[in-house]
Amino acid sequence: MSFDVRVPASTANLGAGFDCLGLALEMYLSVRATVLARSEGRARVRGRGVRGTAELPSDPDQNLIARAMRHTAEREGLSLPRLRLAVTNEIPVAGGLGSSAAATVAGVALAFAVTGRPISKDAALRYATEMEGHPDNVAAALLGGLVVTVTRPDGTVAAVRKDWPKVIRLIVVTPSVKLETKKSRAVLPASIPRADAVFNLQRAALFVAALEDRRYDLLWDAMQDRLHQTARQSLIPGLAEVLALPRMPALLGIALSGAGPSAVALATGRYDEIGKAIARCFERHHLAPAVRHLEAAQDGVISTQKYGSLK
């Protein structure tokens, strides 16, 4: 018996929506969990990265998917069977595109699946957030589309999912430098001026309202930020130039994707032109960026079950 899950990548913050806005992307982590007979030894993981991405660790004690499965099983009081995990990853590791969130959501979903339990979206969101530390990426990976999230004082998470307009595509430019979220968060200030907090509150609210009313001309203003992007420019050569690019036809806005180092642009056309303009900012610093043109993923994690003889 085997269980398959497919989880989308994600981009978070989208400028002003620090730790509350996330968007699923059509780039995926796929995992097959096969139940092993008792005689087949300890659980094991094999995987491969595609499109130049790194493989996830094969040691179950270090692999984030396996750790998320164990965390969910412990929280739910479940007993996991012995498993073999086969992983295919399209999402750049430490690229600011939700690779750890996808792995965490995959593990949470598989823990429910292999124990014969229907997945509880509320519980899955909480367990994934407990491991990830913030809900924006994991909510997008779990639910798909655009998500607005709130973490309550008791640790539960509220998430509202919104359809993403198909007319808006994403251009993701990833420079050839890895940046761990922990390091990227460490440079953020411990406190901020009230004017900066108000600045971001206004724009995060405007972002959702502009999408709702199809006022895409307002997204440029809505994606401006004073909380995190300026502080992170010292870690990502070329980012300051990216964020300072002028408006151009079909370009709706530019932001740092999550904790970085990828930059994400929203656009309705001229994708090659916009991608090249962003890439040049990183190329000046010899960072050889990869440019991806992506659609938003309207679906979150998908889980399927298959039966067959073990090989």
Side-chain angles (χ1 to χ4, degrees):
M1 186 185 300
S2 63
F3 303 83
D4 291 351
V5 295
R6 189 184 74 161
V7 189
S10 55
T11 181
N13 303 332
L14 294 162
F18 181 70
D19 275 7
C20 66
L21 293 181
L23 177 65
L25 304 175
E26 286 193 341
M27 185 165 54
Y28 296 95
L29 171 73
S30 299
V31 186
R32 171 168 291 179
T34 302
V35 179
L36 302 176
R38 291 184 178 275
S39 61
E40 293 191 72
R42 70 191 296 268
R44 55 188 184 273
V45 182
R46 61 180 175 84
R48 64 187 180 94
V50 298
R51 299 182 186 174
T53 64
E55 293 183 9
L56 298 175
S58 58
D59 184 345
D61 293 331
Q62 298 181 15
N63 184 276
L64 187 53
I65 301 167
R67 286 167 48 205
M69 293 184 72
R70 292 195 298 271
H71 178 76
T72 303
E74 291 170 0
R75 297 286 271 111
E76 288 285 311
L78 304 173
S79 179
L80 294 174
R82 188 172 286 104
L83 299 166
R84 178 176 65 241
L85 301 181
V87 182
T88 301
N89 181 35
E90 295 179 349
I91 308 171
V93 175
L97 295 170
S99 61
S100 64
T104 300
V105 169
V108 173
L110 282 171
F112 280 100
V114 302
T115 55
R117 296 275 296 275
I119 186 170
S120 164
K121 291 293 178 68
D122 289 341
L125 185 53
R126 178 168 185 169
Y127 302 155
T129 301
E130 287 172 353
M131 293 196 64
E132 184 75 358
H134 46 94
D136 41 10
N137 287 101
V138 294
L142 183 69
L143 303 175
L146 176 71
V147 293
V148 185
T149 60
V150 171
T151 304
R152 302 185 181 98
D154 65 356
T156 59
V157 180
V160 176
R161 181 199 174 280
K162 308 285 287 183
D163 284 335
W164 183 258
K166 293 183 178 180
V167 69
I168 302 178
R169 296 185 65 184
L170 295 97
I171 303 145
V172 177
V173 183
T174 307
S176 56
V177 57
K178 289 185 179 181
L179 179 59
E180 294 183 358
T181 300
K182 184 177 180 180
K183 182 178 180 181
S184 186
R185 282 184 171 266
V187 300
L188 300 181
S191 61
I192 58 170
R194 180 171 62 183
D196 290 347
V198 172
F199 182 97
N200 271 56
L201 285 169
Q202 291 175 338
R203 281 151 184 80
L206 178 63
F207 187 91
V208 178
L211 288 174
E212 186 74 23
D213 283 359
R214 301 181 182 179
R215 289 292 310 276
Y216 304 143
D217 58 303
L218 296 176
L219 291 177
W220 185 271
D221 291 322
M223 293 178 71
Q224 304 304 307
D225 162 76
R226 289 184 182 176
L227 295 188
H228 65 105
Q229 293 184 154
T230 300
R232 287 166 165 167
Q233 288 176 7
S234 62
L235 301 178
I236 309 168
L239 176 61
E241 293 97 310
V242 170
L243 298 177
L245 285 171
R247 301 186 73 163
M248 62 182 75
L251 174 61
L252 303 178
I254 305 175
L256 179 66
S257 182
S262 296
V264 60
L266 308 185
T268 56
R270 302 196 179 196
Y271 310 112
D272 288 335
E273 178 184 344
I274 294 168
K276 289 177 181 177
I278 297 172
R280 280 195 292 270
C281 297
F282 293 123
E283 288 168 351
R284 295 189 191 105
H285 296 269
H286 311 289
L287 291 182
V291 180
R292 297 173 174 88
H293 299 170
L294 299 173
E295 302 276 359
Q298 300 293 0
D299 294 322
V301 60
I302 296 174
S303 179
T304 57
Q305 183 177 350
K306 297 181 179 180
Y307 296 88
S309 59
L310 294 176
K311 297 182 179 179

